[in-house]
Every structure is written in structure tokens, then in C-alpha cells.
Amino acid sequence: MQYGFFDDDSREYVITRPDTPYPWINYLGSDDFFGLFSNTSGGYCFYRDARMLRLTRYRYNNVPTDAGGRYFYLRDSASGDVWTPSWSPMKSKLDRYECRHGMGYSRISSAKNGLAFSQVSFVPLRDTCEIHKITLTNESGAEKNIDMFSFIEFCLWNAQDDMTNFQRNFSIGEVEIEGSRIYHKTEYRERRNHYAVWAVNVPTAGFDTDRETFLGLYNGFDHPDVVFAGESKNSVASGWAPIGSHHIKAKLAAGESKSFVFVLGYCENPEDKKWQSAKGANYFASANSGVINKAPADALLEKYGTPEAADKALSALNEYWKNLLSKFTVDAEDKRMARMAGVWNQYQCMVTFNMSRSASYFESGIGRGMGFRDSNQDLLGFVHLVPERARARILDIAATQFPDGSAYHQYQPLTKRGNNEIGSGFNDDPLWLICGVSSYIKETGDYSILDEKVPFDNNDALADTLFAHLKKSFYYPVLNAGPHGLPLIGRADWNDCLNLNCFSKTPGESFQTTANFESGVAESVLIAAIFAFVGPDFVEICKRTNRVDEAEKAAKEIEKMIKAVDAHGWDGEWFLRAYDAHGKKIGSKECEDGKIYIESNGFSVMAGIGLEDGRAEKALDSVKEHLDTPYGIVLLQPAYKDYHIELGEVSSYPPGYKENAGIFCHNNPWVTIAETRLGRGSRAFETYAKICPAYREDDSDLRRMEPYVYAQMVAGKDAIRHGEAKNSWLTGTAAWTFVSISQYILGVRPVFDGLLIDPCIPSNMKGFTVTRHFRGADYHITVDNSAGAEKGVKSITVDGNTLEGTILPVFGDGKVHKVVVEMHNEKKHS
Ligand code: BGC
Ligand code: NOJ
């Protein structure tokens, strides 16, 4: 069944009941301050780094789920009735409920006891705070006296330490209270120069900052003593768990509305301006404990001191998104495709830009930083939206590359330095840099990025041009090839769980970091295919920057690699996946389990391998035959039933989950793109739609995850819950599906020379319209497929003139250009 619907005009997903099959969340924030926000006001926020600078506490894997958020409790003082208008945490029976997740904001509206409640939550552009504008409306015929209590729980900044180091943490919590402003200043007295402020723009009747006092030691968030008593206790936290709660008394005449602006902000002071008054001898006599310099908080709160100011900030945010999403829009009869490709898919790509794989309801925000591989691929999904930021991101990523071309697998967003804890040696990593950079150049035409001086290993002394980095990337798999001439896999390739050199026997040992015993023979067909796919872009880049010899040399390496795949990477009906550390085949009919894998098949065909001799078609037919399901294509078959020490983590998962035969959505669009290379538009669209969440909206009880975002994984056919999704939001699926639908199915693809028009669609799709901002001009493209073709461009006119070929020129004139494309069936006509 459905738990909501898409409101396309307002670009919102409207959730119509609070008990969704999993918390359905949204992301707030576009610059440095971010919040995760569920449909019942759960979640948390942080400044720049979800691990190091977390403002509010969130309990992952808690019972009940989704514990912690920005909560507002209401109490009707006449009846003593208490409820939470966002449903959680009291699970209040509401007369009305709706949550609208929009672009960078969420709005919860509900009603109970004749009182309407509305909460709009967002992070304003450029400022480091969340705003929660609350409006109470008396819908009853008589006056109402309402007690409203706000509640947030502060995290002691380092989210990892906050969850583990209680012997220290229970003694360090500190706050300051000044009128309606509650300051959280734990550790400010020593090395921190930042604090949080939780404020409301009206006078309060009281406050609480000590969790036990507010809730009662043995109560949950669903039964705060203070709220039920109708009176704050003005508690001042000292150690234990600092919280922020305001008590507001609102008198509302019949029909009257009142709005309140709550701001939760992050403030920083320069080292020499930390204090307003110094610490005295008796620290805990409040006047002596040191008064923090509140100037930055004053400035922030001054800005958002009225409901009008909050509304204005929200309008600015709406404008920002409107403008961003105007860069690529789609209109088609199939509304599910149009809204996903035109809005939600791109929105998710921006979230992956901001979060990489750090903070979601499945990524705790303390584990993973920015991935070298992940961030390069994410770029494919947002480079058209924020090209300047993509450029800066490329330079950050490249600076964590080692001089030999390999890379730290991850880096930390705050320091931008490679993260040693996660290690390196994933031999696919280097190639993704070429993929990221070439997509940036195709989008912008900006070759100057290649001349930027970029450190290796974050060391300025080792800096060289970005081009030099690309060259190292290109030659890494060439110089690290195995006995079949295929690239050595190292710790793993794109499939983090194919740990062929690891041989781990110790329970609980991390496959990502444990010792890797490189045998020197474990090779990856996937890396070869990635090389064959991105390598030609490197050659083009060389040619276009007058490096003719370099280009020739590189082209020969690509030919050689393809020959190696031809000779040692083909299994008869499909492409092999790898050779293990004993030289045995993986992903072959000779194997008992794991006979066929998706990745090497999708990528080899994407790279054009086997197009001429029928192998490409055969490979994709085999994928369909062995790996396809109603919910997408599983990663491999048959699933590994037992743990294989020579394979590693892939065989550690129960059959049907994650890399062991789950539908690992990230690689499905590779097959989609591969299908377009064969011109099979109907099949390409089928693979696209199967993993696209909007098509499963009415199947939410099984799918469970949000219908407006892609999930990393959907349980495969071997799993008990086949079709159930997990790990929504932070996944390379977002970028790759956007590439597959926008560039290969709808076929509007940036290439070095311009915008290529090459649609490959189902024959029953009668046409569509795309508007595309590209290198300083707008292209309004209408594709007419009354011919019922799957692939093939018959004619293109630009502003009424017939175009030779299929590449729209770069106009760069700030004007709108009208493009009309007529399709015909390539196969029939050529
Ligand atoms: C997961 C992978 C993930 C890796 C790195 C593995 O357990 O299965 O999908 O990329 O961990 O965190
Ligand atoms: C998730 C990781 O973020 C991504 O980099 C990897 O390719 C997949 N897992 C597959 O293992």
C-alpha cells in the first residue's frame, strides 16, 4: 500500500500517515550545516562533519526506532491532555497528520483537540543553523491555553566518544541560559571554541537543560515529567546529559494563530575572543564559570528573530532549488520517470555530494568519510548542477592520491586528509578519478583544471598537475597487471567485498583493513572493463591538450587490455568476474556458486567489448536469464552458501543480501547503459524502472524505504524478504541511475564537443521533452518518437535549422535554443 503521494507541482513527497514502514527522512542543509529529518521529526544535525561536530544526539538501532529529534510537546492546560504533534515520540493519536518532504525542507502539519500545528524545518542558505518555525492555530470555538515545550538533546560533539566514553562524559556537560536562549558549551572551557545555541524568539515561562529532570530517570521521550506537570523546573545541567527545553505559554483566541521561531545554531569564536567574562575561582558559582562570548549567536538569532524572517529564508532556499533543478528538467507521459529524473534523483545526487557515505539512517556518521571511489562517481550526478563545486571536489579528492596512482580509500571532510584507518589498495580507485575529471570537462569544457597543481598524499612538496594525477591513474592498472594481463585486484575492486588476497579467519575482523596478502595473481576483469570504458576519455583529453604521443601510447594500452579481456575474461556465455589468489576463475560456469556476476558484464558492454561479435548481446542475455528478478538484477548467482576464505566478505553475507546476490542497485544502471549500447530501449527501460523507487510506491510495505529515493540494496531472490530495500539515500545508485536515464535512455549526453543526442527508449514511448542547461545556454529538446523506434535519430533541427550529425553545438550565448529530434528505427534503416 501507499503511505503518501508525490506532489509534483510543489516538488514534495507528501506522507499521509506517520507509521511509515521505516522512518522516511529528508536532508536539510546545502553548505556546511546539515540535518537529517524524519517524517516524525526524528534525526539529528551536525556542522560539516557528522562524527566530530555533532550538535544533537541520536540513538541508532534504538527501541523504539528513530529515537531523538527536535520534539515539541503540547499540553492543553484546561484538560491536561498532552501530545506530540509530530506523532513521535508519544505516538499520539492525531486527528490530522501530514509530512511534506521538499527540497531542503520538511513540513509537518497535524491537528488534535481543536489545535492545528505546523512545523516547517530547514537550514537557511549559508547560515549554520536549523530553523523550526512552529505555528499553532486554534481551530476550536473557544479560547485555548497551550503549554508548548521544546526538546532537543545535545551530543557532546564527538559522536563516537559520546556513545562510549561515559566515565568522562557524565561529568563534563555544561550549559548557559540567558532568557529564551540555551547554550550548550561542553568542552568550551578547554580546547573547543564553538558552542551550540537553542533559542526561541519569544519570552519563555521556564526552561530545562538537564535530561533526568525533564523526563524523569525512568521515563522515555514519550513521558516527560515536566510536560505532564505543565511546568518547567528550570534545571541547569551539570554533567550527565544536557538538553534544551523551553516552556512557552500560548493563549489563543478562537481562530487565532501564533508562530514561533526556534533556531538551533552552531557558533564559533576566534581563540582570543572566546569569553565575555573570565572564569573565577569558584568555578561552579555561575558568575565565575566563565561566560561565553555570545556575539556570533546574537548575530544569528537577530537574523531569524521573526516568523517573517524565517519565511524569507525559506523562500530564498526554494529559489535556490528551483534554479538548481532548472538545469535539467524532463516532461513525459510517464510521470514516475519524469519526477524521478527531473527532481528526486537529482536531489538525491546533491545529498550524496554533501554526505558522501557518512550520515544516513544506515550510516552512523561516525564510520565513513568521503570515499575516493564514491565521491568521483557521485560527481557524475551533480556536475551539471554545481560545476564549480564539482571542480573543487575533484581537487580535494585528487590530493589524497598517492604518488604511484593508488589512493587512500577515504578522506575526512573536515581535514580533507586521507584516512589511514580505512587503508587503501582498492585497485579500481585510481580509474574513478579519470571518470570524474572527464565528466567535469565534458560538462564544462574547462580544460584548465588539468593544469591545477595538486598535492600527492596531501603533501605540497609532492604536488604536480592534475593531468599528472590522471596519468598515474591511467597507468596504475597497466603497471599492476597479473599473469593474464588483467589488472590486479589489490584489496578489492568496486566490489568492496571481493577480498581475494585477504584470507581472514578471525571472527569480526574487518575485511576492509585486515592484512592483505597480495599473491600477485588475483586479477579483476571489472577493473579491465572500467579501464576500457574510461581509458578512451584519457586518450581524448591527451589529444585535446596536444599530447599526441601520450594519446597514442595510452590508446595502445587500451587495445592491449581489451585483448586481455578477450583472451582471458570471457567464459563462453558471459564475462568472467576475476581470478582468485590461486589463479582460479570467479564468475565462471566452472564455479559451484558465484557462476555469473553482474559487474563485469555490465561494464564490459558499456565499454563496447564484444559489441561486434555478439558476445555483448550474449552477456546481457545471460544477465537477464540468470540474474534478473522483478525488483532488479542481483549481483551474482548462485549465491554463496558458505564462507569462502579465498573470496572474503562477499561470501560472509547470507544469500540474497548485500554483495552476496542482493540487488546491489548501484550496478544495475551499468546494465541499463549496456543495453542502450545494443539499442535495446525496452529492456534498458525495464532495468531502469525495476530499481526506481517511484514505481514501487504502492508496494511500500515490502520495499519499506522511501519511495522518492534510491536504496543501495534490495534483498535478492535468495533472501526471505526478496524485494525489501535497505540503505536508502547514500549510494552510488543515485549518480549512476541519473546518468543512465538522462544520458543514455533519454540520451542527452555531454561529450567533449557538445551535447550529444542519442535516445534509446521503449518503442511505446511516444516522445519526451528535456530542458538542459549546458555551457552557458539552454537547450529545449523535444524528441518525437511517433515512429515507435527504440534507437536512432532521423533528424535534428536547432532553432529551425537542420543539424548535421547528432551533437548540439556549444552556443554559450545565454539564450534558449529550440531543438527538435525525430527518431526512427536505426536497425531497420541502416
Ligand atoms: C559492505 C560494502 C561497503 C563496505 C565498506 C561492506 O561491509 O558490504 O557495501 O562498501 O562494507 O564499508
Ligand atoms: C558501497 C561502497 O560505498 C561502494 O564504494 C562499493 O562500490 C559498494 N559498496 C560495493 O561493494
Side-chain angles (χ1 to χ4, degrees), residues 356-357 363 368 371-375 377 409-410 426 428-429 432 492-498 512 526 599 635 649 653 658-659 664 666-667 670 712 727 730-732:
S356 190
R357 302 295 173 270
E363 300 284 4
R368 302 165 69 190
F372 190 95
R373 172 204 297 143
D374 293 326
S375 296
Q377 288 176 81
H409 196 46
Q410 284 177 24
F426 295 81
D428 63 315
D429 271 339
W432 296 115
D493 58 26
W494 171 90
N495 188 334
D496 286 326
C497 300
L498 203 54
Q512 313 287 312
L526 174 63
E599 307 101 299
L635 194 145
E649 187 169 357
Y653 284 113
K658 294 281 288 182
E659 283 84 345
F664 208 97
H666 183 147
N667 49 41
W670 298 344
Q712 181 208 53
N727 303 4
L730 305 185
T731 161

Side-chain angles (χ1 to χ4, degrees), residues 767-787:
F768 58 88
T769 309
V770 160
T771 67
R772 180 68 157 84
H773 182 81
F774 180 70
R775 298 195 208 170
D778 286 293
Y779 299 74
H780 284 198
I781 305 160
T782 308
V783 175
D784 170 4
N785 187 31
S786 32

Side-chain angles (χ1 to χ4, degrees), residues 81-129:
D81 271 359
V82 170
W83 72 100
T84 39
S86 59
W87 192 64
S88 281
M90 290 180 67
K91 295 210 276 180
S92 304
K93 212 170 163 342
L94 302 166
D95 298 335
R96 276 203 312 268
Y97 161 90
E98 179 185 275
C99 170
R100 290 178 171 258
H101 285 319
M103 306 286 109
Y105 67 90
S106 292
R107 193 187 294 275
I108 296 179
S109 317
S110 70
K112 189 178 174 68
N113 296 337
L115 185 77
F117 167 91
S118 137
Q119 166 182 358
V120 53
S121 300
F122 63 100
V123 172
L125 292 170
R126 287 174 294 278
D127 274 322
T128 58
C129 65

Side-chain angles (χ1 to χ4, degrees), residues 326-347:
S326 71
K327 312 253 188 241
F328 180 87
T329 72
V330 187
D331 197 13
E333 219 169 89
D334 183 342
K335 294 295 167 221
R336 293 178 292 193
M337 182 274 283
R339 65 169 69 107
M340 284 306 296
V343 180
W344 293 94
N345 195 170
Q346 296 181 73
Y347 182 59

